Amino acid sequence: MSQNILWYNFIMVENLEKYVAAFAEVLGVDPQSAGGLRRGESKAWDSVGHMGLVARLEDAFGIVMRPDDILDFLDFESGRRILRDGYGIGT
């Protein structure tokens, strides 16, 4: 396996760990259950929790999310897609 592929895989794993940690820390959920979360279906992921999660992800990845992306961030998977497609961050 080439060095580039190993490096890419390392970055992907590290980014996914950061992403899951943001959910766990901000929403107070077990990291193992983060993948099934949807905004509004959890007490913690209300509007205040949503903005806290956005702020945590912005800090973790050194980005500023666009307003449309914040609104479209509806669940765990849509957040991954937004980071990948809008900011070039694979998770």
Side-chain angles (χ1 to χ4, degrees):
M1 197 176 284
S2 78
Q3 291 284 61
N4 289 340
I5 293 172
L6 290 173
W7 181 249
Y8 175 79
N9 288 339
F10 173 77
I11 295 298
M12 291 288 287
V13 168
E14 186 176 81
N15 285 347
L16 182 58
E17 288 173 352
K18 285 185 202 177
Y19 186 71
V20 170
F23 276 82
E25 293 167 12
V26 173
L27 302 179
V29 298
D30 183 311
Q32 299 293 329
S33 66
L37 291 176
R38 292 188 55 80
R39 188 171 73 202
E41 291 183 1
S42 161
K43 262 186 161 179
W45 198 352
D46 57 9
S47 60
V48 174
H50 185 65
M51 293 313 296
L53 184 55
V54 167
R56 178 69 178 85
L57 292 172
E58 288 178 333
D59 287 344
F61 294 107
I63 60 172
V64 175
M65 291 180 73
R66 293 178 288 276
D68 286 350
D69 291 336
I70 293 170
L71 293 174
D72 292 342
F73 182 14
L74 302 173
D75 55 34
F76 185 87
E77 288 303 322
S78 68
R80 291 181 74 185
R81 180 187 44 75
I82 288 166
L83 289 176
R84 182 191 66 230
D85 296 348
Y87 306 92
I89 299 167
T91 56

